[in-house]
Amino acid sequence: MVRTLRAFWQDQDGIALILVSIMLPVIIGFSLLVIDMSRASTLHNDLQKAADSFALAGAAELDGTTGAWARAERAMATLVQNQSYFSTAGVTTLTAGQPGGTLNCNSAGSISWCFLKELPANDSAPVTATQYAANEGETRYVEVVVAPTAFSTIFPASFLTGDTADDGFNVGAHAVAGFTSGVCNFTPVFICNPYEMVNGTNSSGGYTLEQAVASTALRRRLIELRKVGNGAAAGPGNFGFLEPPDGIGNGAQALAQTIATSRPIGCYSADGVDTKTGQNAGPVQDAFNVRFGIRANGNHFNSAEYGPASNVRKGAMRANGNANQCPSMNQLSFTQPGTMGLPRDAATPYMGGRMGDGNWNLSGYWSTNFGAAAMPSSWSTTKPTRYDVYRYEIAQSLVGTASTGGEVGTPPNSCQPPVTSVDRRLIYGAILNCQALTAAGNSLSGHSEDLPVEAFASFFLTEPVKSAADDASVMVELVDITGRGGQGTLDNFLRDEVQLYR
C-alpha cells in the first residue's frame, strides 16, 4: 500500500494537463487583452487619421482672406470621408458640418475645431484661448478634436473590480494643421511696409496695404524706396536684402547678380526670412539698371539672362558714344529736350515726402512720346497707374514710337536681347512690418533671422536708379501682393503648403 502511494506520488504523467488547467484562465485573459489592445489601437488609428484629414482639409483654406473660416468648414464637411471600426457603435462614419464660419471655435458632426493664430512654444503644452485667432486675417492653424468614442472591451475587467464601467473606455484623437505660404524664383529683397499700421494709423494716409492694392488711385502713388544700410533706420519705404540662396556667394556682386537676373532661384517662406543688409550699393544700382538697357560697369551682367526689358523708355538719350551701343549711366542725358520718362507725382504729402499723391502728368508724357496717338477713353475718367501705361505701350506696339526728341522704348541693338519671358521692369520683394519688428528688438540694419512676412509683393520700376550712394533712391509703384487683397498676378510664384504640426 505504501509502495502504491509512493508510486502515485512520484508519477508525473498528465502533469502538463494540470498546469494548463491552472494557467488557462491567465492565457485566455492575456489573449483577450491582446485582442482588446489591437481593437483599441485600430479604433484610435481610424480616429487619428480622421482628425488629421479634417485638419489638413481645413488648414488648406486658411490663406488670411475674408471667408477663410467658412471655406475651411466647407472643406472639412465635403472633402473628407472617414470611417472608424471597433467602437461600441460598430462601423461609424465620421462627419463635420458648416455652422456658418463666424466663430473661431465651433463643432458639428463628429468633430469640434478652433482656429488658431499661433501655437504654444512647447509642443507638449495644450492649446489655450490665448492662441485662438480673433479674425480670419490672423488665422494660421486649425485644431480639430474628434468626439471621444465609446469602446467596449472583451476582457471582463469587472470580474476583478465589480464595476461594470471597467469593461470599456473612451477613445479620442486630435490634430493641428497649418497653412504655410512661400514664393520661389523671387528676388532677395525686402521692403518695409509703406502702409504699416502703428496704433491704428500710419504716415500714408491711414490706408492698409490691402486697400492700397485694391485701389488704382493708391497704386499710382509713387514711392521712393531708400536702401537700409549699416546703422540706417528700417522705416516705411526703406528696402534691404534677403539672404541669397545657398551656393550663390556672400559678396555684394553675388547678391547683385541674384537681383539682376531674370531667373532668380531663391525660395522664401512667409513664416520667416533672413535679412542681409549693409551691402555695397554700387553693384546693386547696376542690378536694377540693366533692366532699363543701361550697361553695368565692368563686365558684369553681360549674358542674356541679364537682358533689358522689352520697353526701356526712361526719358533719356545718349549724350556721347556710339548711339547703337548699350549705354552706361554716365553716357545718358536725362535733360534732353523732347524726352520724358514716366513723371513723378506733383506732390509728395505722405511718408515724410517719399510717397506721392498719385497725381502725375499723364497728358504731358503721352503727348511727348506718342504725339497724336489716341489714349484709351477710360483714362479720361480714371487716371491709370504708370504700370498700366507701360503695359499698354507694349500691347499696342508703341514701344518703337519715337518721342519728339527721338527716344524710343526699344533697347539698343548692342544690348543683350530683351527678356520677354518675364516683366523686367517689375521687382519682387518680401513686405516686412519693420516698425513692429524693430520694436520687438530685431536689427534690420544688420543680420536678422526668421522675420515674419506680411506679404510678398511686386513693384514697378518707373525710372533708373541714378545714384550708387548708400541711400540710393528707387522709384516704384506698388503693383500687387500675395494673400488677402491680392489681385492674383503673383500666383505663379506662390508655393502654398499645408502640414500637420500636432
Side-chain angles (χ1 to χ4, degrees), residues 158-190:
S158 59
F159 286 171
L160 302 177
T161 65
D163 186 354
T164 57
D166 287 341
D167 287 346
F169 51 88
N170 290 331
V171 178
H174 90 284
V176 176
F179 179 94
T180 300
S181 180
V183 292
C184 284
N185 308 121
F186 230 63
T187 46
V189 173
F190 77 83

Side-chain angles (χ1 to χ4, degrees), residues 247-329:
I248 295 298
N250 294 319
Q253 186 58 45
L255 177 63
Q257 287 175 342
T258 64
I259 297 172
T261 182
S262 60
R263 296 179 294 179
I265 61 174
C267 290
Y268 301 96
S269 171
D271 286 344
V273 293
D274 300 342
T275 60
K276 184 182 182 68
T277 53
Q279 291 293 335
N280 185 355
V284 175
Q285 178 201 25
D286 291 339
F288 286 128
N289 286 348
V290 294
R291 302 160 183 262
F292 287 90
I294 299 175
R295 180 170 56 85
N297 295 321
N299 294 320
H300 305 312
F301 316 132
N302 57 355
S303 60
E305 67 180 289
Y306 303 113
S310 58
N311 183 0
V312 299
R313 194 181 299 273
K314 49 190 170 287
M317 294 284 289
R318 176 183 281 276
N320 56 73
N322 189 329
N324 291 324
Q325 292 181 350
C326 199
S328 58
M329 178 62 76

Side-chain angles (χ1 to χ4, degrees), residues 289 291-294 309-319 323 327 329 331-343 364-371 390 393 397-412 425 462-464 466:
N289 286 348
R291 302 160 183 262
F292 287 90
I294 299 175
S310 58
N311 183 0
V312 299
R313 194 181 299 273
K314 49 190 170 287
M317 294 284 289
R318 176 183 281 276
M329 178 62 76
Q331 293 175 317
L332 292 172
S333 170
F334 287 86
T335 60
Q336 179 74 21
T339 63
M340 180 182 287
L342 290 164
Y365 172 81
W366 192 265
S367 61
T368 299
N369 291 292
F370 307 112
Y390 159 83
E393 293 174 27
S397 301
L398 297 173
V399 176
T401 302
S403 69
T404 56
E407 182 194 14
V408 296
T410 307
R425 294 277 292 274
T462 63
E463 61 185 63
K466 298 176 184 177

Side-chain angles (χ1 to χ4, degrees), residues 88-440:
T88 302
V91 180
T92 302
T93 299
L94 302 170
T95 62
Q98 304 179 58
T102 58
L103 300 177
N104 58 3
C105 289
N106 219 321
S107 63
S110 309
I111 67 171
S112 61
W113 61 87
C114 286
F115 296 112
L116 313 177
K117 62 180 179 181
E118 60 187 7
L119 297 178
N122 190 332
D123 285 344
S124 62
V127 172
T128 64
T130 59
Q131 277 89 44
Y132 294 167
N135 55 66
E136 294 164 319
E138 67 179 16
T139 304
R140 296 293 179 269
Y141 311 94
V142 60
E143 179 186 38
V144 172
V145 177
V146 178
T149 300
F151 174 80
S152 296
T153 61
I154 300 175
F155 180 78
S158 59
F159 286 171
L160 302 177
T161 65
D163 186 354
T164 57
D166 287 341
D167 287 346
F169 51 88
N170 290 331
V171 178
H174 90 284
V176 176
F179 179 94
T180 300
S181 180
V183 292
C184 284
N185 308 121
F186 230 63
T187 46
V189 173
F190 77 83
I191 295 152
C192 293
N193 187 356
Y195 293 92
E196 181 179 0
M197 303 297 290
V198 179
N199 297 324
T201 186
N202 58 31
S203 58
S204 302
Y207 295 100
T208 65
L209 183 63
E210 293 77 18
Q211 290 172 326
V213 170
S215 168
T216 300
L218 295 177
R219 287 203 315 276
R220 66 174 182 249
R221 288 182 177 183
L222 195 63
I223 303 172
E224 180 185 354
L225 304 179
R226 290 180 183 168
K227 181 178 156 308
V228 176
N230 290 327
N238 288 341
F239 76 97
F241 309 111
L242 301 177
E243 192 73 37
D246 292 339
I248 295 298
N250 294 319
Q253 186 58 45
L255 177 63
Q257 287 175 342
T258 64
I259 297 172
T261 182
S262 60
R263 296 179 294 179
I265 61 174
C267 290
Y268 301 96
S269 171
D271 286 344
V273 293
D274 300 342
T275 60
K276 184 182 182 68
T277 53
Q279 291 293 335
N280 185 355
V284 175
Q285 178 201 25
D286 291 339
F288 286 128
N289 286 348
V290 294
R291 302 160 183 262
F292 287 90
I294 299 175
R295 180 170 56 85
N297 295 321
N299 294 320
H300 305 312
F301 316 132
N302 57 355
S303 60
E305 67 180 289
Y306 303 113
S310 58
N311 183 0
V312 299
R313 194 181 299 273
K314 49 190 170 287
M317 294 284 289
R318 176 183 281 276
N320 56 73
N322 189 329
N324 291 324
Q325 292 181 350
C326 199
S328 58
M329 178 62 76
N330 60 11
Q331 293 175 317
L332 292 172
S333 170
F334 287 86
T335 60
Q336 179 74 21
T339 63
M340 180 182 287
L342 290 164
R344 298 187 180 185
D345 288 345
T348 55
Y350 304 107
M351 213 172 68
R354 290 169 50 202
M355 178 185 286
D357 60 0
N359 181 24
W360 64 283
N361 187 5
L362 170 62
S363 59
Y365 172 81
W366 192 265
S367 61
T368 299
N369 291 292
F370 307 112
M375 290 189 295
S377 59
S378 60
W379 291 359
S380 300
T381 304
T382 303
K383 181 177 289 187
T385 66
R386 297 166 183 80
Y387 184 62
D388 290 335
V389 175
Y390 159 83
R391 295 301 306 173
Y392 183 82
E393 293 174 27
I394 296 174
Q396 299 300 316
S397 301
L398 297 173
V399 176
T401 302
S403 69
T404 56
E407 182 194 14
V408 296
T410 307
N413 294 333
S414 61
C415 290
Q416 298 296 334
V419 177
T420 57
S421 57
V422 295
D423 194 335
R424 292 283 281 156
R425 294 277 292 274
L426 291 181
I427 61 170
Y428 304 92
I431 302 292
L432 305 183
N433 287 328
C434 295
Q435 295 180 94
L437 291 171
T438 301

